[in-house]
Amino acid sequence: MGAWKFGSAQIMDLAGPENDLQAMEMLVRGQGATDVTVLRNEGVSRTTVETALHALGLRSKPGDWIFFYYTGHGALADAAVKNTRDGDTDQFVPLPGFDPDREDPERYIVDKDFYSWLARYVPRGVQVLMMADTCHSGTMHRSADPRAMGMTPRLTLGSRTIALGARPAPRFASVLASADGTASTVDRDDLPNLFFIAAARDDQIAWEDSLPAAGAPTRGFLTWSFEQGMTTAGADGRTLAADQNADGTVSMGELGAYLNQQVRMLSGQRQESNIVIPPGREGQGLFATAPPPPTPPVPPPLPGLYVADLKARASVTGDHPWRILPDGKGADFVWDAAQQTMLRRTGDVVAQNVKGAAQVRGVIDKWGAMEALRPFLEEESARLMIGPLENGARYPSGAPVTLALVQRAPREDAAPSDRYATVFNVASDGTVQRLYPVAPADGDGKLAPGQSLPLLESQVVAPYGADHVVALLTPQPPESFRLLLRTVENQRSAMRLVDPIKVLLAAPGRQASLSIGELYTGN
């Protein structure tokens, strides 16, 4: 179900849910689903949603999957009952016609309502994947620069405190054979058959934007990542991008890791998806049918660049890997020639001292390289961690910063083995800088199973912007790739590294892994 037309002066309409809903309907039908119910806009109300779930429960049988999906706005309200495990706020979705000053329960649904309906109406032998591409609240890690802002928040009502009125009890009798399905909505246990994917943490906004580049249809970050992971090929060209271990099956654990890393990079670390999996079911395969064959990757459109100063615009017009836009609305990049800064669609200053076409190209090529690598991230094995501030924070001048490559515990079905780390930085202007191994003490970069690697402990200095630290873990030392790294060091040559990295990731068994850490700096 999706809502994007709200008919309210207080709740802005959205552009992405219409595209999201169409894409998800096509995806589930491609998975073999023949029983599909679609509710949109004025067709979405408390009654229609509850009735549809009840009917699905009656039609379902053990072994079936129910994919319950919502795209639209999300907001917070004071909880009717305080001091429960859910905290003192209720997450709710406002529906078309919602008015915060009118207590019409047909126009909103609280998270506890969804839980109560699923608990009562869906038999335990039926698996439920629930996905909500909405905001949970309005806290962001970094402010957004008004000169460049392509993203739209899926958040209604801002910081206003909402008090929702009384809601009706479930209107249908339970379809379950026992009273177990009538769990309390005040102090509730997790449902053993419910897998839940949230677009953002409770303290974050969820976003939509033109994806993959300016001019493309507007999409929610979570939905677009889900569709990408379940339809496009991974680095080996044979298995799906979300199939992190290339065994031909996308497990719930793999899906959660894939979506989290994709959403983080698409949002400039502002948004972090979350998945809740019943204990011990991380290896559960997604859906009951085999995934469709992955589609060949399609080259993304050229990024859109906006330059307000006409003289500066003329200097970057011509045969370049970007499109010049007539205005800054939704531009992938904005070059403020007077301030010598480059901004990205996320509202971040991503590079300083950008004085001409060569520097502009270095910045755009660098982000092109990161976007080319993004679909192939695999952080189940290891993840680059930047601290001490929370992920996504901007580090001011002089602030301490630490960087470490943290290995995860190997899967139970995987034999522990040594890995070889290769780490480099791509600076804000696109310059490649080797980080590990570089000193004689680093040896060949071998890491024992579970060993973490401290990489950096320093302070933030100019020039500011966005650095990307790239870490490869391979089963053998990648000597040819390291030679290439030495060749391009101190050059704006990140794009030359993309294809060799994909070759390493595509090796049989997909034993190599890739993590990218983003560091935003500046005052």
Side-chain angles (χ1 to χ4, degrees):
M1 63 179 185
W4 55 93
K5 300 291 186 183
F6 291 87
S8 169
Q10 300 184 60
I11 304 176
M12 67 178 178
D13 291 344
L14 293 168
E18 181 176 12
N19 301 318
D20 289 343
L21 194 61
Q22 180 181 18
M24 297 311 286
E25 181 181 359
M26 290 178 61
L27 191 150
V28 297
R29 289 189 185 279
Q31 286 280 342
T34 56
D35 187 347
V36 181
T37 301
V38 180
L39 304 175
R40 54 173 59 86
N41 286 335
E42 66 277 359
V44 183
S45 68
R46 174 183 298 272
T47 296
T48 60
V49 174
E50 183 181 4
T51 301
L53 278 176
H54 178 253
L56 279 173
L58 290 173
R59 297 197 298 269
S60 62
K61 58 185 182 299
D64 286 346
W65 275 90
I66 290 177
F67 182 34
F68 181 30
Y69 170 75
Y70 176 70
T71 174
H73 276 305
L76 293 179
D78 284 338
V81 179
K82 308 284 187 180
N83 300 317
T84 70
R85 63 178 291 192
D86 289 338
D88 293 338
T89 57
D90 282 336
Q91 298 152 11
F92 75 98
V93 292
L95 305 177
F98 175 79
D99 185 340
D101 297 317
R102 292 178 56 225
E103 297 182 356
D104 182 359
E106 279 296 300
R107 300 301 162 198
Y108 65 86
I109 303 176
V110 177
D111 57 349
K112 295 178 176 64
D113 297 323
F114 289 126
Y115 174 90
S116 179
W117 298 339
L118 292 171
R120 290 175 61 87
Y121 301 149
V122 178
R124 287 293 182 266
V126 175
Q127 309 305 313
V128 179
L129 174 59
M130 179 177 178
M131 191 164 88
D133 201 344
T134 71
C135 290
H136 283 187
S137 78
T139 300
M140 287 197 302
H141 296 297
R142 303 188 309 277
S143 62
D145 194 300
R147 292 173 291 176
M149 191 61 188
M151 302 191 300
T152 300
R154 291 186 168 183
L155 172 76
T156 60
L157 312 174
S159 59
R160 175 176 176 178
T161 300
I162 302 296
L164 299 173
R167 311 188 307 279
R171 66 187 71 230
F172 303 112
S174 172
V175 303
L176 302 180
S178 69
D180 293 341
T182 59
S184 167
T185 59
V186 173
D187 192 10
R188 52 186 179 168
D189 295 326
D190 292 334
L191 297 176
N193 61 332
L194 174 61
F195 301 82
F196 176 64
I197 302 173
R201 295 190 333 228
D202 289 352
D203 62 343
Q204 291 177 333
I205 285 177
W207 300 90
E208 62 176 41
D209 199 353
S210 299
L211 293 172
T218 300
R219 301 293 302 277
F221 291 171
L222 177 68
T223 303
W224 193 83
S225 297
F226 185 92
E227 181 189 12
Q228 174 185 257
M230 295 301 297
T231 59
T232 61
D236 59 10
R238 301 186 307 275
T239 54
L240 292 172
D243 183 3
Q244 303 274 269
N245 63 358
D247 66 351
T249 301
V250 177
S251 71
M252 284 298 178
E254 288 177 318
L255 179 65
Y258 178 84
L259 294 177
N260 180 274
Q261 62 208 19
Q262 295 299 312
V263 168
R264 280 191 284 113
M265 285 202 69
L266 287 168
S267 65
Q269 306 295 315
R270 283 186 173 88
Q271 179 182 339
E272 190 164 356
S273 69
N274 183 48
I275 187 169
V276 178
I277 301 174
R281 302 197 63 188
E282 290 79 6
Q284 170 71 54
L286 182 59
F287 302 129
T289 63
T295 58
V298 177
L302 294 177
L305 172 65
Y306 173 66
V307 186
D309 181 87
L310 294 180
K311 182 178 180 180
R313 185 187 304 178
S315 71
V316 292
T317 300
D319 186 17
H320 298 294
W322 54 73
R323 296 170 292 123
I324 297 295
L325 302 182
D327 58 58
K329 184 178 180 181
D332 296 298
F333 295 93
V334 172
W335 178 30
D336 186 335
Q339 298 294 322
Q340 298 182 355
T341 56
M342 284 281 286
L343 299 97
R344 199 162 179 262
R345 65 198 303 171
T346 54
D348 289 303
V349 175
V350 295
Q352 295 185 350
N353 300 328
V354 182
K355 301 176 182 179
Q359 290 90 346
V360 168
R361 179 160 191 153
V363 175
I364 292 180
D365 280 355
K366 168 257 186 67
W367 281 94
M370 296 304 105
E371 277 296 295
L373 291 174
R374 179 184 50 75
F376 312 118
L377 289 171
E378 192 280 291
E379 294 182 338
E380 275 197 309
S381 303
R383 178 177 168 182
L384 282 163
M385 304 296 292
I386 296 172
L389 302 181
E390 187 176 358
N391 180 52
R394 184 180 294 280
Y395 286 76
S397 177
V401 60
T402 59
L403 176 67
L405 178 62
V406 179
Q407 284 201 90
R408 311 285 180 87
R411 297 186 303 271
E412 293 183 359
D413 59 345
S417 61
D418 294 332
R419 310 286 293 283
Y420 294 84
T422 305
V423 187
F424 62 94
N425 181 53
V426 185
S428 59
D429 67 350
T431 301
V432 176
Q433 303 159 334
R434 288 187 304 140
L435 295 180
Y436 184 88
V438 290
D442 297 337
D444 57 5
K446 182 164 70 174
L447 299 180
Q451 178 185 354
S452 295
L453 178 65
L455 288 166
L456 180 69
E457 186 170 341
S458 185
Q459 288 185 319
V460 172
V461 297
Y464 308 118
D467 282 43
H468 286 76
V469 182
V470 181
L472 272 168
L473 282 179
T474 52
Q476 301 294 331
E479 299 297 352
S480 296
F481 179 74
R482 289 175 177 175
L483 176 60
L484 176 61
L485 264 181
R486 290 193 292 269
T487 302
V488 302
E489 187 169 23
N490 298 321
Q491 299 178 25
R492 300 191 189 105
S493 301
M495 286 299 294
R496 289 185 60 186
L497 302 174
V498 171
D499 286 341
I501 289 175
K502 290 169 63 175
V503 169
L504 290 170
L505 295 174
R510 203 179 289 183
Q511 298 180 58
S513 63
L514 172 70
S515 179
I516 298 178
E518 293 181 88
L519 173 62
Y520 290 85
T521 61
N523 297 323

